[in-house]
Amino acid sequence: MISNIGTVAVYVEDQQKAKTFWTEKVGFEVIAEHAMGPNASWLEVAPANEKSRLVIYPKAMMQGAENLKASIVFDCDNVLETYEKLKAKGVNFKGEPQQMQWGTFVQFSDEDGNEFLLKS
């Protein structure tokens, strides 16, 4: 039986820029970073003490990467609080948090235009 999401790939132009975004702005930790070639590494980031991880993967190593988009939803205890903290650190949000019957959500993007959703 599947117990959790292991990794989800996010395709980026610049791994180091993406690493800075996810660690310094969003607050994730580097879980793994292993050389894969001259200008690329296997880079996994995640929230502290979590099993699910993002693999920050270089577009240059993926044929047809211009068509690949991540679809990732992050659960959080308080969307409004998380939104305020991330916005203060420079994270780009696609509007204000929205309240729905199933919970609160808001979309944000990284520096490569990948879109993500926070929900509670």
Side-chain angles (χ1 to χ4, degrees):
M1 184 173 258
I2 296 172
S3 61
N4 66 288
I5 296 171
T7 61
V8 175
V10 176
Y11 305 98
V12 302
E13 297 292 339
D14 183 327
Q15 277 189 307
Q16 291 308 307
K17 186 176 176 181
K19 179 181 174 181
T20 298
F21 174 83
W22 286 105
T23 58
E24 294 181 14
K25 289 186 177 181
V26 180
F28 284 14
E29 297 177 351
V30 173
I31 305 302
E33 189 168 10
H34 309 288
M36 286 183 11
N39 296 315
S41 61
W42 181 265
L43 175 60
E44 293 182 14
V45 297
N49 303 313
E50 290 298 323
K51 291 181 181 182
S52 299
R53 299 165 307 282
L54 296 181
V55 174
I56 308 302
Y57 203 85
K59 286 182 178 181
M61 295 186 75
M62 290 293 296
Q63 193 170 19
E66 65 277 0
N67 299 319
L68 299 173
K69 294 288 182 192
S71 177
I72 302 168
V73 176
F74 295 106
D75 290 326
C76 59
D77 293 330
N78 186 322
V79 169
L80 298 176
E81 182 180 300
T82 304
Y83 165 80
E84 292 298 336
K85 285 180 181 179
L86 296 181
K87 188 174 178 182
K89 290 183 177 184
V91 174
N92 181 33
F93 282 87
K94 307 246 179 211
E96 303 288 319
Q98 302 292 311
Q99 184 83 36
M100 301 296 281
Q101 290 178 335
W102 49 266
T104 303
F105 74 96
V106 66
Q107 283 184 296
F108 70 96
S109 60
D110 64 13
E111 277 105 4
D112 283 276
N114 295 302
E115 295 181 358
F116 306 89
L117 190 89
L118 290 176
K119 77 169 186 69
S120 62

